[in-house]
Amino acid sequence: MSKNVDSSKKAEITMRMSEFEMPPMQDVLIVGRRAPIGPEAARRMVDILSPEQYEIIKLDHSVIEAMVVRKALFNILPKEKLIELLLEEGGKVANESTIVKAQVNIVLQISKSIDL
Amino acid sequence: MIRKVFEIMLKDYDTVDAFCGIRRVQDIAEKNKTDCFPVTDNGKIIGVLTRSDLIKTHPNRIVLDAMSGSYKYIEADESVWEAKELLEGQGTDILLATQDDKIIGIVTKNAINVEISKHIDLLTGLYKSDYIIYNCLKFLEHGSEISIVFFDVNNFGYIDKEFGHTVGDNILKEIAQILKDNAPEGTYLCRYGGDEFALLTEVCAENCKALAQDILNKVKQHEFYGNIHIGISAGIAGGERRNPRKGNMYKTVTNLINLASLASTKAKKEKDNLVLGYSGIIDEIAI
């Protein structure tokens, strides 16, 4: 007894498009000690796309090896304060094999009074 | 003669580029059995990638993000002992051997360990004569006064013949241990030959007498293997350089050791088994 089996193959294609972020990181990258990309590679990558805009801060930390920070942030907040803050919060989410991207919005509130 | 760095350095060595991927370097290390790589950037050495870096780093990283080792320079004409000391220094993984300011080879910890192990006496665990000669030269370079105390076991040939060589070996081990336990800090000890030991000190020969006497007494009081009575003799020779910038002192140092050795032979006939053989200027000792 013979059986005829009809078979066919189909491919379903889906596409997702979005604008490429320039550079592909925002304000800060928190690099774990065993992350697949090291801080030097991250900085050089970003340097090609946004030259001279990012700085590596190497850290003496059990989990986090370094942070790559947009230099402009240091114009608004002192480096030590910002790093301390990022470590405090980033340390809770990062582990040694991850790279965490952070967006940092700083709003300065200034109030002055002048003599009339 | 003391071996030099150029005799043990690797002339053909692998370097890796700072932007090379770790996975690729792991393959090279596996294939060539290399444990340490100088890292280059634009042809210049900028760091060292160690085996430990290769083990703990994510294979996707570039070498620049993995290297943790450090290097120092050494003249190719320096002694292997100098290389050993540099590599024992904190955080040095590799030495770059230079000649006329050009890097002509590298010295790894493995290469040094292999070389230095040849200078360790397997029976007693003490260094051999090269170690003392190197340290003598180093002391003299620094303008220090040096003294050699040469210890020689009395009638050792008779002990070997009477009780056998394995008993003789045990006795030598025990003597070596007594010397180790009683050699003051800052002195250097070696097994010079069969039943001879040498101790290098940085004090003048006259001041070595008390130290030598103390060690002779310790040996006398020690209960040796099989209750065999053992005595040793000591000869002392020492002095200082008159001309600090004089050339090669190797021959002078070996002559000084020889004087101490002759003094120890003479001491066998003395009641206290101790003879001060030479004390004075050692720029040109002729025997």
Side-chain angles (χ1 to χ4, degrees):
Chain A
M1 202 168 113
S2 67
K3 275 188 181 177
N4 277 340
V5 181
D6 287 336
S7 66
S8 68
K9 276 187 184 178
K10 284 181 182 174
E12 209 169 283
I13 298 163
T14 57
M15 285 188 200
R16 292 174 72 187
M17 290 191 193
S18 64
E19 196 183 348
F20 178 68
E21 271 183 71
M22 254 286 293
M25 54 181 277
Q26 287 143 345
D27 299 310
V28 179
L29 272 189
I30 300 171
V31 184
R33 291 213 164 272
R34 296 195 175 210
I37 298 172
E40 204 51 66
R43 186 182 64 86
R44 282 167 195 247
M45 167 194 77
V46 102
D47 254 3
I48 291 166
L49 300 171
S50 313
E52 307 288 318
Q53 288 180 37
Y54 288 83
E55 185 182 329
I56 294 183
I57 315 287
K58 298 242 177 185
L59 299 166
D60 184 18
H61 189 272
S62 58
V63 170
I64 299 164
E65 181 177 351
M67 289 186 189
V68 185
V69 185
R70 195 156 59 85
K71 286 179 185 176
L73 292 173
F74 299 141
N75 298 334
I76 311 169
L77 217 58
K79 193 189 277 190
E80 292 72 26
K81 272 207 161 58
L82 181 62
I83 296 301
E84 191 185 333
L85 193 73
L86 287 165
L87 258 181
E88 190 184 325
E89 296 305 322
K92 292 172 190 169
V93 281
N95 69 46
E96 65 173 11
S97 57
T98 57
I99 301 175
V100 173
K101 186 167 77 169
Q103 191 176 348
V104 180
N105 296 316
I106 303 169
V107 178
L108 287 181
Q109 291 189 353
I110 300 158
S111 160
K112 281 187 179 182
S113 59
I114 54 165
D115 291 333
L116 294 171
Chain B
M1 278 301 274
I2 294 173
R3 298 250 288 163
K4 305 281 190 187
V5 164
F6 67 79
E7 295 175 84
I8 65 155
M9 71 187 185
L10 295 170
K11 293 187 187 89
D12 298 318
Y13 55 93
D14 295 310
T15 61
V16 290
D17 190 86
F19 294 94
C20 190
I22 288 296
R23 189 184 297 279
R24 198 168 132 220
V25 184
Q26 284 171 337
D27 291 341
I28 297 167
E30 183 61 35
K31 194 174 146 202
N32 301 354
K33 303 280 176 258
T34 311
D35 60 345
C36 217
F37 294 92
V39 178
T40 59
D41 188 16
N42 294 321
K44 266 189 77 177
I45 291 174
I46 58 160
V48 173
L49 186 77
T50 65
R51 181 164 281 275
S52 158
D53 294 335
L54 284 175
I55 290 165
K56 70 183 184 203
T57 305
H58 194 289
N60 189 68
R61 281 197 179 199
I62 57 171
V63 168
L64 197 56
D65 274 325
M67 62 183 197
S68 71
S70 66
Y71 60 90
K72 279 182 182 162
Y73 292 95
I74 188 166
E75 284 283 330
D77 200 38
E78 280 286 3
S79 75
V80 294
W81 296 98
E82 186 69 29
K84 175 183 178 279
E85 281 179 15
L86 277 175
L87 278 170
E88 280 174 350
Q90 224 183 1
T92 310
D93 297 281
I94 205 166
L95 296 177
L96 307 176
T98 60
Q99 194 173 52
D100 303 326
D101 294 334
K102 269 189 185 165
I103 298 165
I104 60 166
I106 63 166
V107 181
T108 62
K109 281 185 174 173
N110 262 359
I112 273 293
N113 288 342
V114 167
E115 176 60 28
I116 295 300
S117 67
K118 295 174 191 168
H119 298 279
I120 295 172
D121 171 49
L122 295 176
L123 180 71
T124 61
L126 293 173
Y127 283 116
K128 296 178 188 172
S129 57
D130 245 22
Y131 175 69
I132 287 285
I133 294 167
Y134 164 72
N135 282 297
C136 278
L137 293 167
K138 209 170 122 182
F139 276 162
L140 291 174
E141 252 172 52
H142 294 148
S144 304
E145 183 154 359
I146 62 165
S147 295
I148 305 284
V149 186
F150 205 90
F151 296 99
D152 194 341
V153 184
N154 301 339
N155 303 317
F156 191 71
Y158 166 79
I159 292 160
D160 264 351
K161 282 191 184 82
E162 186 68 19
F163 303 101
H165 281 79
T166 52
V167 172
D169 285 351
N170 281 329
I171 283 161
L172 289 175
K173 272 196 230 175
E174 288 179 61
I175 290 170
Q177 195 55 54
I178 294 168
L179 288 166
K180 278 184 214 174
D181 293 344
N182 293 284
E185 208 172 310
T187 60
Y188 297 89
L189 185 64
C190 80
R191 182 182 178 193
Y192 202 84
D195 61 329
E196 296 152 341
F197 300 87
L199 180 73
L200 165 67
T201 78
E202 218 178 345
V203 295
C204 72
E206 283 84 358
N207 290 352
C208 282
K209 277 182 171 177
L211 163 67
Q213 195 60 68
D214 179 52
I215 291 171
L216 295 184
N217 291 341
K218 289 276 184 346
V219 171
K220 208 179 271 182
Q221 290 155 13
H222 185 80
E223 232 177 75
F224 280 92
Y225 180 88
N227 262 337
I228 302 164
H229 174 73
I230 301 293
I232 62 170
S233 300
I236 303 168
E240 59 188 334
R241 287 175 78 170
R242 196 175 27 200
N243 305 304
R245 269 178 258 168
K246 218 174 156 91
N248 189 346
M249 292 288 286
Y250 183 86
K251 199 168 177 353
T252 309
V253 164
T254 53
N255 281 344
L256 186 76
I257 294 169
N258 208 38
L259 285 169
S261 154
L262 291 170
S264 75
T265 307
K266 207 171 165 188
K268 288 177 191 288
K269 297 185 184 96
E270 299 296 317
K271 199 181 167 193
D272 61 356
N273 284 147
L274 181 65
V275 163
L276 172 58
Y278 180 84
S279 175
I281 302 299
I282 57 171
D283 285 343
E284 288 166 13
I285 297 172
I287 295 174

